[in-house]
Structures are given as structure tokens and as C-alpha cells.
Amino acid sequence: MLILGLESSCDETAAALVTDKREVLAHRLARQDEAHRPFGGVVPEIAARAHVEALAPLVEAALADAGVTLADVDAIAATAGPGLIGGVMVGLVTGKALAHAAGKPLVAVNHLEGHALSPRLADPDLDFPYLLLLVSGGHCQLLLVEGVGRYRRLATTIDDAAGEAFDKTAKLLGLGFPGGPAVERAAKDGDPRAVPLPRPLVGSGEPHFSFAGLKSDVARKAGKFPAADLAASFQQAVVDCLVDRTRIALGKAPQASALVVAGGVAANGAVRGALEALAGEHGLRFVAPPLWLCTDNAAMIAWAGAERFAAGLTDPLDLAARPRWPLDPDAEKVRGAGVKA
Ligand code: KG4
Ligand code: ZN
């Protein structure tokens, strides 16, 4: 089975061809860093226009790389949300048009489901259920992944996502954009114990996250300490929060057979190392996708599409894009939580 995947929900435009045998035949990606850099963050309107320009050539290039045509594809998977609505619409409409033109089924993929299932593309031995720490620029959640389409949210952030905190810290410290990799690089030359910073919610009985207070404290201390020490201390504080919160979630998910991390922040070496140690303490396997599969890409969308298609799930061509789309709509509302799903 061969699936074409499309991704355009934030600032990466991507197309990939993946088989149900876990072969990534092609994956093409265009970043928009240069377009957003002057603004220090992603500008939705600029992102949507860039997706329009980039997507069709990327699809053609991916098909050429794989040496196939649309006729060889079994289904077309496109991110249908959550994300920046303009970008999501570009990818979804493109997916619908290709599906209609080639007479192929459309599989609408939740971007978060793409991240959640991506570790199974990388690791054939990863079976359900597993505990997933999903840490990206827009989300910070702990999910029990019970099967395709079956996600139980055990925790979420009550304010910022971890990646957002990395991005804002990078901005405060003048480290540039995108922020996560810049903070990680700066942290290599700093002392993680040099600057006292808070660990919001650490020690609380529910595994939720909060990063707004940490970010504000970095803002107060910026300029008063060397940037490398601030970056290292910030990164350590995030790691401590992620590990403590994940430990609480593991206590609530004894059925989990592995600890898995996915999403852009999973590309961070300190985060990966600390979670691997935590899994070891619990005698659990630790699975983290390769770095290119952690940050946004279309292979994870194609793979989630393959898993959904194999389960008999396809979608109508009049399906609407969903800027908000929680993976677990039944999850309890968190007291004090903002608008993030
Ligand atoms: O999954 P992703 O590519 O897009 C979203 O769906 O949000 O995640 C992007 C986020 C950004 O906030 C970025 O700063 C962060 O992941 N990130 C990192 C690293 N690489 C990317 N954060 C910390 N360390 C990294 N090496
Ligand atoms: Zn993402």
C-alpha cells in the first residue's frame, strides 16, 4: 500500500510517499524560516502564501524521487488540522484536488495523530498501548495511545507549550529563530545550575504542565546572567518539568508498554536523554523517532494515513479544515487552562 502525505499546518510545507511496510520512498520539505525570521515568529498570512507556492512542486518532486505517479498511490493523506487555518486549508484542498483528479480516497489526518503514530513508523516493534509525551511548538500533552484513533489525554499544558517556551526564551536571549535548536546550541556552553529558575507544577499530583512562569522568570533575568547560562538553566528547568510530569503519568498508565516522545521538542538531546533514563527506571522501552521525524514533516502524515486507511478510515471530499481539533475530545477540562486543545 502506497500513501501520499501532505503537511502544511504550521511553517513547514511537506510531501512524502510512505508504504504500509514502513518504507519512506520520498520525503520532501520546504522550511519558511527566512520569511518569518524578521518577525521573530510564524506569521500566519506569510505561511499560507508560502505553502501555496511550495506544495505542488514538492508533490511533483516527491513522486519523481519515488519513481511513481499518482496512479500508483492508494490514498492521499492530508493534515486537516489543528494548526494555522490558512496553511491547513492549502494542504487539505490540495489533497482533495489530487484525490478527486486521480480518483483516490482521501484520508484526513489530525496533525497530532501524525506525531503520535510517527514512532511506529520508525520502530516496527512499538505496539499499543504506549505513553506518549507529545511536545511541540503548539502542544504539550501526555497521551495514552491505545490504538489508531484511540487516544486518552492524561495531561496538557495550562498555558504555554514547551516548544513555545523554547522559542520565547530564544527571542528574549537574542538567540534567533527558530528558537529550540538555538537554545540547545547556546546551552552547550552554559552551566545548567547557574541561574535559579522555577519548575512550575513539579510535585503536583496531576501530570499537567505550565511554562508561562518559567518564561517570565527568564525575561526578568535576561541580561543579568550570561546567555549561555540562562539557556542551559532554562533547558534544565524544562527537562525537570517534563520528567517529573511524565513520571506522574506513568503511575497512572501501568498498562503502557513503552515510553515514547514525539514532536519538535523531542529533537532536543537533553530532553531525550532524561526521558530515556526515566523509562529505564521504570523498566520500560524508550522510543524516540529520528530527529527529522520529530519536527513537522509529511512522512508522519502519510504513515498516520496508512494506519487509518488500513483500518478502513477514509474521509469525504467536503470535509472542513479544523483549526482546533483535540485528539481526545472527551478529556477533562483543566482548571486554569487557556484555549489550547
Ligand atoms: O512539531 P513541530 O515541528 O511543530 C509543531 O507542531 O509545533 O515543533 C516545533 C517546535 C518549536 O517550538 C521548536 O523550537 C521546537 O519544536 N524544537 C526544539 C528543538 N527543535 C525544535 N526545542 C528544543 N530543542 C530542539 N532541538
Ligand atoms: Zn507538529
Side-chain angles (χ1 to χ4, degrees):
M1 187 208 296
L2 178 63
I3 309 291
L4 169 66
L6 308 177
E7 161 61 30
S8 59
S9 65
C10 190
D11 59 343
E12 274 99 6
T13 323
L17 285 148
V18 172
T19 73
D20 59 337
K21 303 281 186 287
R22 296 183 162 79
E23 297 153 309
V24 180
L25 299 187
H27 76 97
R28 286 272 183 160
L29 188 137
R31 302 186 55 91
Q32 308 174 354
D33 296 346
E34 297 312 318
H36 300 295
R37 182 164 287 127
F39 306 94
V42 177
V43 183
E45 178 66 8
I46 292 174
R49 281 167 190 267
H51 289 307
V52 170
E53 286 164 15
L55 189 53
L58 286 174
V59 170
E60 284 182 347
L63 289 167
D65 290 348
V68 299
T69 68
L70 267 189
D72 301 314
V73 166
D74 292 290
I76 293 164
T79 298
L84 301 173
I85 184 68
V88 173
M89 285 173 69
V90 171
L92 183 58
V93 165
T94 304
K96 288 174 177 177
L98 292 174
H100 183 64
K104 306 288 178 178
L106 173 76
V107 183
V109 173
N110 182 315
H111 177 84
L112 302 175
E113 182 168 42
H115 281 302
L117 297 177
S118 65
R120 282 167 53 79
L121 169 58
D123 186 335
D125 299 323
L126 177 60
D127 291 323
F128 304 118
Y130 52 86
L131 183 72
L132 171 74
L133 171 63
L134 174 51
V135 267
S136 69
H139 299 271
C140 190
Q141 306 187 346
L142 282 154
L143 296 154
L144 185 63
V145 180
E146 298 175 317
V148 176
R150 291 171 51 212
Y151 309 94
R152 209 140 59 72
R153 197 191 75 189
L154 303 179
T156 188
T157 178
I158 64 168
D159 41 56
D160 294 349
E164 200 176 349
F166 267 97
D167 294 332
K168 287 177 180 166
T169 292
K171 208 167 175 178
L172 286 165
L173 301 181
L175 297 174
F177 174 86
V183 170
E184 183 172 19
R185 269 196 306 278
K188 289 205 187 341
D189 302 319
D191 175 359
R193 286 153 308 182
V195 187
L197 291 172
R199 268 81 172 147
L201 292 183
V202 162
S204 84
E206 291 299 321
H208 297 303
F209 301 91
S210 166
F211 294 103
L214 173 57
K215 173 198 65 193
S216 318
D217 209 39
V218 171
R220 277 190 290 275
K221 289 171 178 162
K224 300 189 179 127
F225 292 87
D229 285 344
L230 265 165
S233 301
F234 163 81
Q235 181 172 271
Q236 187 60 50
V238 173
V239 166
D240 290 348
C241 293
L242 295 177
V243 167
D244 177 80
R245 312 287 65 218
T246 305
R247 184 180 283 120
I248 299 292
L250 281 172
K252 292 176 184 288
Q255 64 274 60
S257 63
L259 173 61
V260 178
V261 65
V265 182
N268 184 284
V271 169
R272 289 165 93 95
L275 290 170
E276 184 164 17
L278 176 67
E281 272 173 38
H282 287 76
L284 288 174
R285 285 188 61 212
F286 175 67
V287 178
L291 299 193
W292 73 269
L293 202 50
C294 286
T295 46
D296 286 349
N297 65 86
M300 71 179 192
I301 303 304
W303 174 253
E307 295 237 46
R308 292 188 72 82
F309 190 57
L313 300 168
T314 60
D315 294 277
L317 292 186
D318 61 356
L319 180 100
R322 296 181 64 176
R324 297 242 181 94
W325 187 3
L327 267 188
D328 178 3
D330 302 326
E332 254 175 70
K333 294 259 179 308
V334 184
R335 214 159 62 90
V339 295
K340 296 191 179 80

